[in-house]
Amino acid sequence: EEIRLWRGVAEADRGNWKSGNQNFKRGDQVLGLYPPALQYKLALTRVETALKARDVDSASRWLRKLGGKAKEMTRSQQATMKYLQGRVAFVKRNLDRATKLWTELSEGPDLLNASRSELSLINLGLLQETMTKDEAIKRLEVLRYRWRGDQFEMQVLRRLGELYLDKADYRNGLGALRAAATYFPKDPGTPLITNKMTSIFKELYLGDKAEAFSPLSALALYDEFRELTPAGEEGNRVIQKLAERLVD
């Protein structure tokens, strides 16, 4: 059972949430016997893994166990628990509680959980249509520099790129996605981002979307993202269509 517990930790660290959650379940009894300092740290990883694997019951059960021991935790652990409580509340459709918890954290001193809560509030505002895409973009542009260097930054850049593309702002949209792919080349989600960029680029120059902006703007965008030009015949067609527009 103890081996299962640590396999769960290792799988969670690799982003294998489903396998991690299954292993954690087999080691739950052992985790409850660990010294408090180690138990709280691993239990928070346990909760996050359960949420990523959509096992809300396990996440809720461990949060209830941790709730009575909040005073024994570090400030960072308390903030992480509060953020995860917001996640559970959101999944259970208790949006008022989720908003309250995340708002308190977003204004607090714990930088990681303040940043994660801010992203959650932005996504919730877009979902409820209480926030416009322009407002969301403005807040994400600030958030992208608030916490750097890990998977969370990639999430922010990806969301920012998607919102720019929804507004047909292809330069900033592709730029944000390119930053995500460049900063995190080994992330499992990077191939999906690069495939999306290539697909959008092809739609722009082989479809009708490029007609929405001037030939010189189309040329400037092509020059900035020329590495997305498809290989072979499709790439030749992109260049030919762009040249024909400039001639016209």
Side-chain angles (χ1 to χ4, degrees):
E1 290 181 345
E2 190 163 18
I3 288 173
R4 288 285 191 173
L5 170 63
W6 286 98
R7 278 184 178 169
V9 174
E11 293 285 22
D13 190 55
R14 296 168 65 186
N16 297 332
W17 307 114
K18 187 175 180 179
S19 175
N21 188 55
Q22 290 171 346
N23 279 290
F24 266 125
K25 279 187 174 182
R26 294 284 297 274
D28 274 350
Q29 289 185 342
V30 175
L31 178 55
L33 301 174
Y34 271 21
L38 181 58
Q39 182 185 144
Y40 302 153
K41 181 178 181 179
L42 295 185
L44 290 170
T45 302
R46 167 78 178 99
V47 173
E48 187 139 21
T49 303
L51 284 170
K52 291 286 181 68
R54 301 183 180 180
D55 181 3
V56 183
D57 290 339
S58 294
S60 299
R61 185 172 67 254
W62 272 100
L63 282 173
R64 284 194 297 271
K65 289 181 181 180
L66 292 171
K69 302 176 181 179
K71 292 181 180 179
E72 301 174 23
M73 296 182 186
T74 65
R75 289 182 182 179
S76 176
Q77 289 172 340
Q78 290 173 3
T80 299
M81 182 175 70
K82 199 171 184 179
Y83 167 74
L84 294 171
Q85 287 171 337
R87 290 268 305 277
V88 170
F90 173 78
V91 173
K92 292 184 175 181
R93 305 285 183 178
N94 190 348
L95 302 185
D96 289 340
R97 174 169 166 75
T99 301
K100 181 177 182 296
L101 289 167
W102 288 335
T103 300
E104 290 172 359
L105 281 172
S106 69
E107 299 167 353
D110 188 89
L111 190 55
L112 172 59
N113 288 295
S115 302
R116 295 203 295 179
S117 297
E118 172 70 357
L119 179 60
S120 297
L121 288 170
I122 292 168
N123 287 328
L124 183 58
L126 290 169
L127 181 66
Q128 294 182 304
E129 298 184 349
T130 58
M131 184 183 300
T132 66
K133 288 181 180 178
D134 285 335
E135 291 171 331
I137 287 171
K138 186 176 180 180
R139 289 172 68 166
L140 284 169
E141 282 288 5
V142 174
L143 185 59
R144 67 183 293 188
Y145 299 109
R146 194 174 180 184
W147 184 269
R148 306 293 303 275
D150 62 12
Q151 220 271 338
F152 175 76
E153 182 186 4
M154 186 178 185
Q155 288 180 39
V156 173
L157 289 169
R158 190 170 184 174
R159 190 71 176 112
L160 184 60
E162 290 169 352
L163 289 176
Y164 273 128
L165 292 173
D166 286 345
K167 290 175 55 63
D169 185 343
Y170 297 107
R171 180 177 179 274
N172 283 317
L174 289 172
L177 293 180
R178 181 166 65 183
T182 302
Y183 296 163
F184 307 98
K186 296 182 180 179
D187 190 277
T190 297
L192 295 175
I193 293 176
T194 54
N195 288 340
K196 182 172 185 175
M197 292 171 66
T198 302
S199 177
I200 290 168
F201 194 81
K202 284 165 62 176
E203 288 177 16
L204 277 174
Y205 290 100
L206 297 179
D208 299 326
K209 289 185 177 180
E211 304 294 331
F213 42 93
S214 72
L216 285 179
S217 295
L219 175 63
L221 187 69
Y222 174 82
D223 194 52
E224 188 167 353
F225 298 97
R226 64 172 61 240
E227 72 273 12
L228 298 176
T229 307
E233 184 59 32
E234 279 189 324
N236 293 335
R237 284 170 54 207
V238 166
I239 296 169
Q240 184 177 350
K241 287 192 72 171
L242 181 58
E244 287 172 353
R245 288 197 67 196
L246 290 169
V247 170
D248 289 343

